[in-house]
Amino acid sequence: MTPDSPQRTPPGLLVFPQRPARRRLAVALVAVVLILFIIPIAARRWTDFLWYREIGFERVFLLKIVAQWTLALTTGLITFALLYSNGRLALRGLEVNEVPLFDRFRAGRLTRETFLERLAQLLMPLAAAVLAFLMAVTAGTGWRSLVQFHYRSPFGVVDPIFGRDISYYVFTIPMLENVLAFASAALMLSLVAIAIPIYVMRGALGVQALRLRVEPMARVHLSVLAAAVVALSGVRTLLVTVPSILYSQHGPLQGASYTDLHVTLPALRIMGGVAILAGAWLLWGAWRGSVVRGAAIALGGYLVLNILAVGIVPSSFQRLVVQPNELDREAPQIKNYIDGTRKAWGIDSVDRRELETTQRLTMQSLQANRATIDNVRLWDRAPLLQTFGQIQAIRTYYDFVAVDDDRYRLGGELRQVLLSARELDPTSLPTRTFVNEHLTFTHGMGLTLGPSNQVTPEGLPVLWMKDLPPAATIAMKVTRPEIYFGEMGGEFVLAPTKQKEFDYPAGEGDAAVYSTYDGRDGVDVGSFVRRLLFAFRFQSLNIVLSSDLTPKTRVLFHRNIRERAELALPFVRFDNDPYLVVTDSGRLKWILDAYTTTDRYPYAQQMADGTNYMRNSVKVVIDAYDGDVRAYLSDPGDPMIRTLSRIYPGLLRPLAELPADLRSHLRYPIDLFNAQTQLYATFHMTDPETFYHREDQWQVPVSQVKSDEEGSSVGFMRHIVMRLPGERDPEFILMRPFTPRQKDNLAAWMVARNDGEHYGKLVAYRFPRQSLVFGPTQIVNRINQNTDVSQQVTLWDQRGSEVIRGELLVIPIEGSLLYVQPLYLRAEGGKIPELKRVIVAHEGQVAMEATLELGLQRLFGGSLGAAASPLAAAGSEETGTAPAAAASGSVGLILQAVQHYEKARAAQRADDWATYGSEMQKLGEVLQKMNAQPAAKKP
């Protein structure tokens, strides 16, 4: 081959790129990694910071990052130092050869043993670094427990066993668990992942003649590490496992039982001491040269003691000593369990009131409680939500997510209303383009609001606020109806831009009204760098390329109010039911309830998710237009929120700063009341013996009515405007009834008060034990057995329509109960439920009429008299609904006419023409009497 001949590559050999080509390949790989991984992560982090800074919560973002990185770096450095130092110790005595390892191996100048030794030298620092990195990442997730421990606040309550403040269990033990777990893991990795592999590769540790062989240089080192691991487990037992005995669960209680205190607790203390002694025994064995024997004795003895002390002995003691005399042995612990649960869940301050007598309701008692009757909620949320969606959505891209209960003072009286926000659903836009979804269709519009108890002649809800733009028939205004932030939320939007924002349709055809966003929320995207950052975040190149953006354009994201609140305050748990409020100035505000919780309160009953302490300590208000987030401290006495307030100073505002028009709409949160009432059904019994036998246990009645209403699964829990027994004025309450365990009659009912100075107070009303008060299940059975009801339901169900039974309402009035159940009718295949009948029941008597007033008059006789609220009559006149009440003579004739008409219709469907003719004749006679009555004088 001549010098000028081209070089040929032998077949089967790989050709590596030349240096310039390799450099270009490396640059390309780095660019791919940057574009696909590094830049998107950095863009998200930076835009997150911009968002937090915009809403004024940047301390939440920065504290988390600083705490995580500080903890991670500290943990990583300590772990690396420990692993590396143990690695260097295991490698002591080995010479370092400057000739590359693999070159020596190819040259045949490296034996297998020397190769393994050199490989250990090369891999040890890398292994230490990788393991330290993994430990650092894991440790960073525990930053919150460390910060809370540093800023911890005392509870002011001590546990009954060790006498420690509850803060020790809530804040200190989690920190100790993390620190001890880290130390144990680091020592275990030093032993298992560093020292043992190195000694095996060096030949200092192995199996020879079926016996473990350990050279002296390895024996002491491994023994020290093993002794440290075993001793640390003893420390963990004494500092963490022993106090955690107060969370154990046994038989009739949660918390330390008699066996725990008299057998398990001493055994755990002995085990902790034995573990420390076992570590010392390992060191002694290593010094004497019998490390294997010493390890076997120490670890074997510890395991045997563990089995005996934690398993066999306690179970035997429980079976032979405690169970035969369980009540006598466990009475003090049961008392601790009752006290701990009542304090942890805030039910130790429930105001218990006895209803002296149960009395039959009369028309006079109903008239005296007219405010309660005027606010009976005849519309369930699910049917009303469907109706709103059909009659008030206006366009396909609008939707209603949920219906909220609230109260407003209208016409000088407190009225219960049902309202729902009309939000934009971008997934339902006719054309889904970048411009439509992110620039033009940016927000919802207004709300629908109406009374909870009024119906039009067609069976539809009366609406006091409706249509687009929102128009009100009452003294209520909405000056800023645009909803950029709501329960539906949606993707990011860019505003203001050169594109006009769609506000609402107007007139006929495609006419519409447009607007421009001028709110305070949003991150500025006027610069190219900002556009590029958000293009990476949302994976939308159009943000960079669009010519519609201006220097004033802002990007609005995290528009779902639940997501927005959770990001702003990640240290609390939020209630599942946010609600909308119309302020006096006409702005729309969302209110969300937030809780502080823990699962570490001693002797407290746990819920299904492990939580055994809960307080509604924070109220969050979010503006529906500009997304402004403000958090208010609603329970300054909660030690957990005091701790969080020290961590985030200035983040939580005093509740006194909440505007009065919003404060009047605060309500006791549903999730907390649900948990408290479930627990109070058992923990109202404070005597250990009564508690043990469950002599007076209650239960929440189970609804037998199929309902898809949101919240119906929690069982007869409803907001009601009513006058409580012994109180002068009606108020907005959250109420739930109780029945005795495995019985159907009513035992008591509990309310959470919501208004004024009484906000947050829990009151339990108990019926006399010697009296029988019909419960919900018994009333439902009575309704089902009623001939008029069953015939009407059967006829409706057979005629191409569907009957929807509303939730049975339990309405306390003075010392008795009134039950009300609405019936809705929905055409087969239709989507608009109509309220057609109202069932009223009291003490086993049932009446079904077209209106609540007629049902009450049929059941109790007489007349309710004039409507208590001028607003009710006004609302009725505007919608064509019959007035709430009329003169007794006219109402009686109306009642007769309705009865004859319904019987005639039923006979017609059954082809009973004789009955049909008779009933129509009677109807004519009643109509003649009505016509002969003098006209009512107008005022």
Side-chain angles (χ1 to χ4, degrees), residues 31 57 83 103 122 195 218 250 406 410 467-468 530 706 778:
F57 283 65
L83 296 178
D103 290 345
L122 290 173
H250 300 282
D406 207 345
L410 302 170
D467 298 338
L468 292 171
R530 290 283 183 91
K706 181 181 178 181
Q778 295 169 317

Side-chain angles (χ1 to χ4, degrees), residues 401-422:
V401 179
V403 176
D404 298 320
D405 286 279
D406 207 345
R407 73 287 196 192
Y408 287 81
R409 191 159 292 278
L410 302 170
E413 297 198 4
L414 193 65
R415 295 304 308 270
Q416 184 171 354
V417 301
L418 296 167
L419 67 156
S420 184
R422 185 184 292 103

Side-chain angles (χ1 to χ4, degrees), residues 378-379 415 451-456 460-462 464 871-873 875-876 879:
L378 299 180
W379 283 100
R415 295 304 308 270
S452 62
N453 68 330
Q454 292 187 32
V455 189
T456 68
L460 299 177
V462 171
W464 287 343
L871 189 64
S876 301
T879 58

Side-chain angles (χ1 to χ4, degrees), residues 681-713:
T682 300
F683 287 89
H684 71 276
M685 298 178 289
T686 56
D687 177 68
E689 183 173 356
T690 304
F691 184 94
Y692 178 82
H693 294 299
R694 298 296 198 266
E695 294 178 6
D696 192 26
Q697 186 176 5
W698 302 338
Q699 64 185 18
V700 176
V702 179
S703 175
Q704 297 182 356
V705 177
K706 181 181 178 181
S707 173
D708 57 352
E709 175 178 355
E710 178 187 354
S712 63
S713 61

Side-chain angles (χ1 to χ4, degrees), residues 514-526:
Y514 294 87
S515 66
T516 300
Y517 178 75
D518 62 353
R520 293 176 298 175
D521 183 73
V523 178
D524 176 33
V525 289

